[in-house]
Amino acid sequence: IENVTTVDEFLLLSLTSVQELQPVFFVMFLIIYLINLVGNGAILMIVILEPKLHSPMYFFLGNLSCLTICYSSVTLPKVIMKLLSPCRAISFLGCITQLHFFHFLGSTEAILLALMAFDRFVAICNPLRYTVIMNPQLYVLLAAGAWVISFFNALMHSVMTACLDFCHSLKINHFFCDVKPLLELACGNAELNQWLLSVVTGSISMGAFFLTLLSYFYIIGFLVLKNRSCRILHKALSTCASHFMVVCLFYGPVGFTYICSASATSMSEDRTVAVIYSAVTPVLNPLIYTLRNKEVMLALKKIFGRKLFKDCH
């Protein structure tokens, strides 16, 4: 008979066990987090303030920037604090809450990327009917649907995980709470939880991924076969390239962690990949969208140039 006890808290791993490296990691991840806040915050601000960017594409981009700030805020502040604190504990409720928001925001990002690809597909392949198809009611409804579906997907995982009994070591083999490392600590049969993770989350991720790829394949096919203008071809491919780079940055690490089976990847590999999708990718998103997007760059210069002019006078 396994010794089932009431769990009040879990113990998280630190990013590194080498004490001399902890201040280095603290400074590095603090800078990464601040860049993420400033970069994505700036994109969100210009999308709201600049009337020229009040279009479906930038509406989705604003959603993505807001989501990215929240996504990294679920894990990074706790990770950063643990680097300078000997305390590694996180309460049971805090752990389940972190797990919920991590999956909620991660699933939302997958669906939003698919919606952004669909928006580009309509804009490039059916430009005359673009404003009719992508009307405000539709794109707001699509974005709301992404958030709602993801919320209930995450709620399912958090409730199912909270209902488990934990009788093994309460040391989580990760630096934040996630389903896979928590299942390792569970007593009894957790096959249903693993099945839900693989099938439901996998279906949402892979479904959104295939819809994204399908949109880009249609776009490339349409541009190559139907469009003779090099200028229009270059502009369209440049816009799609930014989106596709973000898609690759998101799905590479996520696919490695969640689409592969639990036995196929070690937790040490999962932790390495988790650093990429929770810290590095959110910082790269604003760089990709601003450096490769003339409209965003112009709006950024316009807003901040106006502010500097006011400050000077």
Side-chain angles (χ1 to χ4, degrees), residues 227-291:
N227 208 307
R228 305 286 181 181
S229 171
C230 292
R231 185 182 62 83
I232 295 172
L233 181 66
H234 179 266
K235 184 180 178 181
L237 288 176
S238 179
T239 303
C240 292
S242 300
H243 295 172
F244 198 70
M245 284 170 71
V246 173
V247 168
C248 293
L249 283 169
F250 176 76
Y251 278 105
V254 168
F256 181 88
T257 305
Y258 295 104
I259 297 168
C260 298
S261 66
S263 59
T265 59
S266 70
M267 286 310 301
S268 61
E269 290 171 328
D270 284 354
R271 289 196 302 272
T272 304
V273 172
V275 172
I276 298 171
Y277 64 72
S278 63
V280 179
T281 302
V283 172
L284 295 177
N285 285 358
L287 291 175
I288 292 168
Y289 280 116
T290 52
L291 295 177

Side-chain angles (χ1 to χ4, degrees), residues 63-197:
N63 271 261
L64 185 65
S65 295
C66 178
L67 180 148
T68 304
I69 291 171
C70 298
Y71 191 47
S72 57
S73 296
V74 170
T75 55
L76 280 187
K78 194 81 175 174
V79 169
I80 291 167
M81 286 190 292
K82 297 292 180 192
L83 284 168
L84 293 186
S85 170
C87 178
R88 302 278 181 263
I90 183 171
S91 68
F92 180 82
L93 181 60
C95 187
I96 297 299
T97 302
Q98 189 179 58
L99 178 155
H100 172 79
F101 280 98
F102 185 74
H103 280 266
F104 168 38
L105 296 166
S107 298
T108 306
E109 182 168 0
I111 300 173
L112 275 177
L113 291 173
L115 293 178
M116 291 175 78
F118 173 72
D119 172 71
R120 290 300 83 205
F121 161 70
V122 177
I124 293 168
C125 300
N126 206 343
L128 298 178
R129 298 194 64 225
Y130 176 67
T131 53
V132 177
I133 297 170
M134 294 301 291
N135 59 73
Q137 291 82 6
L138 178 65
Y139 66 71
V140 169
L141 187 65
L142 289 172
W147 289 92
V148 171
I149 290 168
S150 301
F151 177 84
F152 284 106
N153 172 57
L155 185 64
M156 173 193 68
H157 287 302
S158 54
V159 169
M160 291 297 294
T161 306
C163 290
L164 292 171
D165 293 318
F166 297 94
C167 55
H168 303 302
S169 168
L170 299 182
K171 292 180 180 179
I172 298 176
N173 194 18
H174 214 323
F175 53 84
F176 61 85
C177 290
D178 197 3
V179 176
K180 282 177 71 175
L182 281 170
L183 292 183
E184 291 188 345
L185 308 180
C187 306
N189 192 344
E191 286 183 7
L192 177 59
N193 298 69
Q194 185 60 57
W195 183 85
L196 289 171
L197 183 65

Side-chain angles (χ1 to χ4, degrees), residues 44-65:
L44 185 58
M45 184 180 70
I46 62 172
V47 166
I48 293 169
L49 295 179
E50 179 54 56
K52 289 181 180 178
L53 300 185
H54 292 175
S55 66
M57 183 175 103
Y58 293 107
F59 173 76
F60 291 131
L61 179 57
N63 271 261
L64 185 65
S65 295

